[in-house]
């Protein structure tokens, strides 16, 4: 009998890759989407068009992390074997401008899901998408599961609460509740406002004369960047263990925004200094200088390790955006003929 999985944030980068992975493993997948006046399903539309994935295996249901009653109804109706909580306001810089909404979706969304599992007395396994932003400005490098949290943004603070409440429900209510403390992970499906995708999309636009300048903030911040499909595999592995636990998922390498810029522009045959301007609007009120993870525990217990290097990741994203923009330009040209 097929396992049933429920994914919040299914239309996002991680949600779309996770849906693909679970379908490949024979799951019946339900994804929660918010009702809106326009569709936001671009990252998952291809799943419905895949002849090897019958639609009955992949289902979208309307819901919202801000609505406890509908979450309870969904969980009681489909009785998922696994829940992956990936939904939230996930942009760190935006969290300074929208701290209440960020906290509502992350903090209360997590709590509502955990309560729904507890109240329904289900044997559901729960995955919480924790974040390296919880570590903040740390004295310990690299960071592992025992590193203290010192978050530096509303997003990081909210994720810290959600992480801790997940541990609490595991210990107090014996729910199979786990957290993956994921460091930065990117892909061609990354949102356009995130710095890595902002860079690769700008390169593609510059190549076809659709953009002249790229405006960025702090180029010296260093992050541990991995490949999103590798990281969603880790999410699945975490819920397949005999006992619930928390895991850092990271590459163990730190690279600055400047390094990402240099590699991406060099690969595209451009000099980044000719196009990039610093704009104070993109600086955070409080920033984090360095984040780099120690995923030794995940390697030992999950058998997980990254498969894509930093340079490969950058090139995958540059190639994808150049191809995407090229298709856009050709389509526009064909329509105008």
């Amino acid at each position: 009998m097929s396992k049933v999985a429920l994914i919040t944030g299914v239309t996002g980068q991680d949600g779309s890759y996770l849906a693909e992975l679970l379908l490949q493993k024979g799951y019946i997948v339900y994804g929660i989407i918010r009702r809106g006046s326009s569709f936001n399903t671009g990252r998952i539309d291809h799943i419905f068009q895949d002849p090897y994935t019958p639609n009955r295996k992949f289902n979208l249901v309307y819901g919202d992390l801000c609505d406890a009653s509908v979450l309870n109804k969904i969980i009681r109706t489909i009785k998922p074997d696994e829940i992956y909580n990936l939904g939230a306001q996930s942009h760190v810089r935006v969290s300074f401008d929208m701290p209440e909404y960020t906290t509502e979706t992350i903090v209360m969304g997590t709590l509502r899901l955990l309560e729904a599992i507890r109240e329904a007395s289900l044997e559901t396994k729960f995955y919480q998408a924790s974040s390296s932003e919880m570590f903040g400005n740390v004295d310990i490098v690299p960071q592992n599961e025992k590193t203290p949290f010192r978050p530096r943004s509303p997003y990081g603070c909210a994720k810290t609460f959600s992480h801790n409440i997940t541990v609490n429900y595991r210990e107090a209510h014996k729910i199979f509740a786990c957290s993956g403390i994921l460091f930065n992970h990117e892909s061609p499906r990354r949102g356009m406002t995130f710095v890595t995708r902002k860079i690769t999309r700008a390169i593609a636009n510059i190549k076809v004369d659709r953009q002249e300048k790229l405006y960025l903030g702090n180029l010296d911040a260093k992050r541990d960047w991995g490949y999103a499909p590798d990281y969603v595999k880790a999410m699945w592995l975490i819920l397949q263990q005999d006992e619930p636990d928390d895991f850092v998922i990271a590459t163990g390498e730190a690279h600055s925004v400047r390094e990402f810029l240099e590699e991406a522009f060099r690969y595209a045959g451009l000099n980044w200094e000719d196009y990039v301007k610093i704009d104070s609007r993109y600086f955070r009120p409080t920033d984090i200088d360095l984040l780099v993870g120690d995923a030794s525990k995940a390697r030992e217990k999950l058998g997980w390790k990254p498969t894509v290097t930093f340079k490969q990741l950058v090139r995958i994203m540059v190639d994808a955006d150049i191809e995407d923009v090229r298709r856009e330009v050709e389509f526009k040209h064909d329509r105008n003929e």
Side-chain angles (χ1 to χ4, degrees):
M1 188 175 179
S2 297
K3 286 185 178 181
V4 176
L6 176 65
I7 303 173
T8 71
V10 72
T11 60
Q13 169 189 254
D14 291 4
S16 65
Y17 284 122
L18 180 61
E20 289 175 347
L21 176 68
L22 296 179
L23 289 167
Q24 289 167 7
K25 293 184 177 296
Y27 281 66
I28 296 172
V29 177
Y30 288 83
I32 295 179
I33 60 170
R34 287 177 293 174
R35 180 70 178 88
S37 58
S38 60
F39 290 106
N40 184 33
T41 57
R43 295 184 181 96
I44 56 174
D45 285 342
H46 67 282
I47 295 176
F48 292 103
Q49 299 167 8
D50 185 348
Y52 301 103
T53 307
N55 285 354
R56 57 187 169 79
K57 290 283 189 179
F58 185 51
N59 310 273
L60 299 180
V61 292
Y62 287 122
D64 196 305
L65 288 171
C66 297
D67 189 333
S69 63
V70 74
L71 293 176
N72 272 276
K73 181 180 179 181
I74 291 169
I75 289 171
R76 286 179 180 273
T77 300
I78 70 173
K79 297 179 174 59
D81 297 289
E82 298 170 3
I83 293 176
Y84 296 86
N85 183 30
L86 313 184
Q89 192 299 104
S90 60
H91 198 288
V92 177
R93 178 62 188 86
V94 171
S95 77
F96 286 97
D97 300 322
M98 303 177 68
E100 184 176 340
Y101 177 70
T102 301
T103 302
E104 176 69 24
T105 57
I106 296 175
V107 170
M108 295 307 298
T110 304
L111 183 56
R112 288 174 184 125
L113 289 168
L114 289 166
E115 267 295 281
I117 295 171
R118 186 186 69 82
E119 291 178 357
S121 299
L122 297 174
E123 296 296 318
T124 301
K125 294 182 176 182
F126 179 81
Y127 172 85
Q128 169 59 23
S130 291
S131 168
S132 60
E133 289 288 329
M134 301 187 305
F135 291 121
N137 269 351
V138 293
D139 299 322
I140 301 168
V141 179
Q143 296 88 53
N144 61 30
E145 294 80 5
K146 296 181 179 179
T147 304
F149 299 138
R150 296 172 56 192
R152 298 267 289 171
S153 66
Y155 172 83
C157 291
K159 282 291 187 179
T160 301
F161 176 93
S162 292
H163 178 87
N164 287 333
I165 201 65
T166 300
V167 173
N168 179 258
Y169 270 69
R170 179 169 73 219
E171 295 175 350
H173 304 298
K174 310 308 177 188
I175 292 174
F176 196 109
C178 309
S179 290
I181 306 173
L182 271 57
F183 281 65
N184 291 60
H185 46 288
E186 318 296 318
S187 77
R189 298 183 192 175
R190 193 57 146 149
M192 297 284 191
T193 59
F194 289 84
V195 66
T196 53
R197 187 73 193 286
K198 192 174 177 182
I199 290 169
T200 60
R201 193 66 172 189
I203 288 170
N205 285 328
I206 288 167
K207 297 281 280 186
V208 295
D209 297 322
R210 293 206 310 188
Q211 185 172 336
E212 294 181 356
K213 297 294 180 182
L214 169 61
Y215 296 92
L216 297 173
N218 181 11
L219 302 187
D220 297 318
K222 290 186 176 182
R223 295 293 186 269
D224 186 327
W225 275 309
Y227 186 45
D230 284 344
Y231 286 51
V232 300
K233 183 178 181 181
M235 298 176 189
W236 177 77
L237 287 169
I238 287 170
L239 290 195
Q240 309 316 305
Q241 304 308 297
D242 293 333
E243 299 294 332
D245 205 349
D246 306 321
F247 294 88
V248 163
I249 306 299
T251 70
E253 295 182 10
H255 297 273
S256 68
V257 176
R258 191 185 307 274
E259 288 177 80
F260 195 103
L261 266 176
E262 290 172 348
E263 180 61 33
F265 273 81
R266 183 189 306 115
Y267 178 62
L270 301 170
N271 179 8
W272 71 271
E273 293 177 315
D274 294 336
Y275 302 97
V276 175
K277 297 292 184 183
I278 303 302
D279 190 328
S280 61
R281 292 178 300 171
Y282 298 112
F283 282 83
R284 301 174 186 176
T286 49
D287 207 346
I288 300 171
D289 299 326
L290 170 65
L291 287 173
V292 56
D294 174 8
S296 299
K297 182 178 174 182
R299 284 179 168 82
E300 293 167 7
K301 292 193 174 184
L302 304 179
W304 178 89
K305 61 180 180 180
T307 66
V308 174
T309 67
F310 174 72
K311 283 190 175 183
Q312 289 171 333
L313 169 65
V314 174
R315 294 178 180 192
I316 287 170
M317 294 180 66
V318 170
D319 284 339
D321 267 323
I322 287 176
E323 176 61 21
D324 192 39
V325 168
R326 183 191 64 79
R327 285 196 304 265
E328 287 181 6
V329 171
E330 288 181 354
F331 177 73
K332 185 176 180 181
H333 178 266
D334 290 343
R335 290 195 65 181
N336 289 336
E337 282 186 344

